[in-house]
């Protein structure tokens, strides 16, 4: 049966542990066929047969090999999803150990060692927070000190507009950060250059975390949450921090909510597209109108509401949870909650820009961005998104332990312009956004 993103993120932790699997379960003397039952997933079967949830890749790889010879076995393009009735192959202990070694070797080859001999200029369009942009560039230069990285930080919506406007003469070589909804839209408009990165093998879920034509790759995961000012809650004991989307429509939050505008912010667009997927179309737009009535002001940046709410300028902000955690760490009085009825999430992307003036250097950045070392740097620069690659450990795994909707990235990316235009024309314009 289908399993959510959380499971893969939680069970595919540090790859190094795979080689030290201690088989707590009785050794399996021979390989065997297995038909998927309700409530099965690969990590559960790995624990049952090998005594360790992290041994799931052996079943995935062994079944895929069998499927090439015998069509009765399942083809598993996405190890995060197995269906009831599929026939799997459970390898014996000897074969399992061999497959684990192969799996580890593939990831060992998918690494970036850097070089002082490579020189040139790289123009980076960065969408994450400023301190992470600065830090990531500095870390890249430790590996490639001969590459001068010129970079600019823009919001997700601004970056897509910039790429559109410069399509005839691109000023950036590589795009890094921001929800892949924008990348999907950009790819459909011919703004991205497909690139078969050798490090894509690191991705936990290639079916979900990269474009089919390799025009973009996922580099982090973030979940939507609510930031409520803790002092406001203490001063107003009659209200509670919101724990559902409908809670935001309550009269006590009138004029007390901050959220970014979806024309400039990937965070806000993710929230908009979440509501559109949780309700039928007209009900979703009715919800957006009602929510807008409670919004004090729309911001330009998706992370800004957490900062403003923490400063007491409003009571509640709709923000990615990692941005809320960052502000809590900075000492702001914020309470983090999640909508229990389901929340959307982002996969942050990276891509080579079509027509890039320095495409080979752009590819070096993309390759590096798909390594565990690069993805574990976030917390060093107050960024707590979860990684997308095997071998990188989430610094705040609890941010994924929430009720995630089955977010349709293709739908949101393909319809971004139309949905943003409708929001701007019918709900709220983008004039005078708070910065």
């Amino acid at each position: 049966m289908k399993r959510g993103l959380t499971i893969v993120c939680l069970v595919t932790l540090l790859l190094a542990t795979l080689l030290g699997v201690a088989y707590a379960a009785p050794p399996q003397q021979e390989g065997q066929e297995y038909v998927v039952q309700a409530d099965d997933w690969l990590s559960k079967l790995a624990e049952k047969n090998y005594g360790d949830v992290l041994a799931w890749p052996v079943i995935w790889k062994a079944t895929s090999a069998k499927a090439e010879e015998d069509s009765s076995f399942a083809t598993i393009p996405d190890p995060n999803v197995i269906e009831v009735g599929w026939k799997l192959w459970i390898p014996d202990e000897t074969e399992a150990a061999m497959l684990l070694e192969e799996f580890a070797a593939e990831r060992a080859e998918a690494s970036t060692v850097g070089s002082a001999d490579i020189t040139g200029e790289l123009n980076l369009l960065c969408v994450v927070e400023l301190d992470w942009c600065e830090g990531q560039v500095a870390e890249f230069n430790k590996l490639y000190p001969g590459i001068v990285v010129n970079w600019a930080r823009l919001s997700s919506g601004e970056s897509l507009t910039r790429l559109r406007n410069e399509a005839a003469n691109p000023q950036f070589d590589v795009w890094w950060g921001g929800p892949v909804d924008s990348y999907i839209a950009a790819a459909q408009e011919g703004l991205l250059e497909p690139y078969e990165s050798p490090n894509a093998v690191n991705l936990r879920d290639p079916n979900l975390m990269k474009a089919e034509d390799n025009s973009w790759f996922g580099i982090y995961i973030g979940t939507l949450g609510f930031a409520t000012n803790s002092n406001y809650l203490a001063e107003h004991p009659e209200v509670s921090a919101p724990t559902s989307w409908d809670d935001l429509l309550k009269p006590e939050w009138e004029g007390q909510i901050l959220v970014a505008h979806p024309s400039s912010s990937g965070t806000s667009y993710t929230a908009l597209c979440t509501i559109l997927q949780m309700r039928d179309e007209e009900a979703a737009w009715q919800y957006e109108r009602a929510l807008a009535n409670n919004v004090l002001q729309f911001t330009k940046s998706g992370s800004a509401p957490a900062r403003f709410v923490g400063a007491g300028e409003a009571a509640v902000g709709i923000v990615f949870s990692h941005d809320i955690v960052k502000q809590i760490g900075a000492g702001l009085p914020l309470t983090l909650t999640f909508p229990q009825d389901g929340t959307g999430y982002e996969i942050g992307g990276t891509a080579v820009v079509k027509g890039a003036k320095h495409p080979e250097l752009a590819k070096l950045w993309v390759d590096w961005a798909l390594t565990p070392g690069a993805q574990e740097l976030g917390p060093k620069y107050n960024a707590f998104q979860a990684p997308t690659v095997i071998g990188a450990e989430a610094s705040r795994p609890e941010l994924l332990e929430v009720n995630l909707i089955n977010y349709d990235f293709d739908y949101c990316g393909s319809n971004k312009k139309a949905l943003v235009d409708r929001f701007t024309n019918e709900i709220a314009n983008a004039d005078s956004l708070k910065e």
Side-chain angles (χ1 to χ4, degrees):
M1 66 183 296
K2 294 186 177 181
R3 290 281 155 187
L5 174 66
T6 303
I7 293 170
V8 167
C9 291
L10 294 177
V11 302
T12 53
L13 300 176
L14 291 173
L15 181 63
T17 63
L18 290 174
L19 295 179
V21 171
Y23 295 104
Q28 188 178 298
Q29 300 303 317
E30 297 181 358
Q32 60 183 346
E33 298 175 1
Y34 179 80
V35 177
V36 176
Q37 307 297 310
D39 296 322
D40 276 342
W41 57 90
L42 290 182
S43 58
K44 180 179 179 180
L45 296 175
E47 183 174 31
K48 176 181 177 181
N49 289 279
Y50 308 116
D52 196 303
V53 295
L54 295 178
W56 63 267
V58 305
I59 303 174
W60 176 36
K61 292 178 73 70
T63 300
S64 296
K66 284 283 188 181
E68 292 180 0
E69 304 171 355
D70 182 347
S71 61
S72 68
F73 282 92
T75 299
I76 311 175
D78 177 1
N80 188 42
V81 178
I82 57 176
E83 301 282 356
V84 171
W86 281 4
K87 186 165 76 171
L88 310 180
W89 180 251
I90 310 295
D92 61 25
E93 183 176 333
T94 300
E95 184 182 3
M98 178 187 69
L99 290 171
L100 283 175
E101 290 181 3
E102 291 178 358
F103 191 69
E106 289 177 359
R107 269 78 196 162
E109 292 177 2
S111 61
T112 299
V113 295
S115 173
D117 297 329
I118 299 175
T119 60
E121 290 192 19
L122 175 66
N123 299 314
L124 169 69
L125 179 54
C126 189
V127 181
V128 300
E129 290 294 283
L130 185 63
D131 46 355
W132 196 11
C133 291
E134 293 175 339
Q136 209 75 0
V137 168
E139 299 288 348
F140 181 78
N141 277 144
K142 291 178 182 178
L143 291 172
Y144 298 102
I147 298 177
V148 176
V149 182
N150 308 306
W151 62 277
R153 194 273 167 189
L154 297 176
S155 70
S156 179
E158 289 175 316
S159 65
L160 179 56
T161 299
R162 181 79 176 262
L163 292 178
R164 285 169 172 159
N165 292 342
E166 297 176 351
N169 183 27
Q171 299 302 299
F172 293 100
D173 303 309
V174 66
W175 193 11
W176 186 71
V180 297
D181 311 60
S182 291
Y183 287 74
I184 292 169
Q188 291 176 349
E189 296 175 31
L191 301 176
L192 305 181
E193 182 67 43
Y195 165 55
E196 294 187 17
S197 172
N199 290 358
V201 68
N202 286 334
L203 289 168
R204 287 180 165 138
D205 186 348
N207 188 54
L208 180 67
M209 296 174 177
K210 75 177 186 69
E212 187 175 352
D213 67 350
N214 297 306
S215 57
W216 58 263
F217 302 91
I219 54 169
Y220 61 76
I221 303 160
T223 54
L224 282 173
F226 304 142
T228 307
N229 186 286
S230 303
N231 294 336
Y232 185 91
L233 291 174
E235 295 165 2
H236 299 82
E238 72 279 6
V239 302
S240 301
T243 56
S244 73
W245 292 102
D246 281 342
D247 281 351
L248 299 177
L249 305 185
K250 291 180 177 179
E252 56 258 39
W253 299 125
E254 183 177 356
Q256 290 292 344
I257 294 176
L258 286 176
V259 63
H261 196 280
S263 66
S264 61
S265 162
T267 305
S268 182
Y269 182 71
T270 302
L272 170 62
C273 214
T274 294
I275 295 300
L276 285 164
Q277 292 174 83
M278 293 180 68
R279 304 167 188 241
D280 64 57
E281 184 175 4
E282 285 311 309
W285 287 109
Q286 289 175 11
Y287 175 90
E288 291 297 328
R289 294 185 187 94
L291 177 62
N293 289 333
N294 278 359
V295 170
L296 173 65
Q297 192 171 1
F298 290 94
T299 66
K300 185 176 182 180
S301 164
S303 61
R307 186 172 71 253
F308 293 136
V309 167
E313 296 187 35
V316 179
I318 304 171
V319 195
F320 280 124
S321 59
H322 49 259
D323 290 322
I324 302 172
V325 167
K326 175 183 178 179
Q327 296 303 332
I328 292 174
L332 294 186
L334 294 172
T335 296
L336 167 62
T337 56
F338 292 95
Q340 296 175 1
D341 45 334
T343 194
Y345 66 97
E346 68 166 334
I347 295 177
T350 192
V352 177
V353 176
K354 182 80 169 180
K357 294 179 174 60
H358 312 97
E360 296 308 311
L361 300 186
K363 293 173 183 177
L364 288 180
W365 179 280
V366 170
D367 291 344
W368 176 63
L370 294 173
T371 62
Q375 292 199 8
E376 287 189 328
L377 289 169
K380 182 177 178 180
Y381 301 103
N382 299 310
F384 302 98
Q385 290 91 324
T388 59
V389 298
I390 295 166
E393 187 171 6
S395 61
R396 300 296 297 265
E398 69 275 14
L399 300 182
L400 297 175
E401 296 170 1
V402 296
N403 182 20
L404 298 178
I405 70 166
N406 185 22
Y407 192 91
D408 189 336
F409 291 97
D410 286 332
Y411 166 78
C412 295
S414 300
N415 293 283
K416 182 166 186 175
K417 186 178 186 305
L419 296 177
V420 169
D421 286 348
R422 181 170 179 180
F423 185 94
T424 303
N425 293 329
E426 297 184 12
I427 308 298
N429 63 44
D431 299 337
S432 304
L433 300 180
K434 184 176 177 62
E435 297 189 50

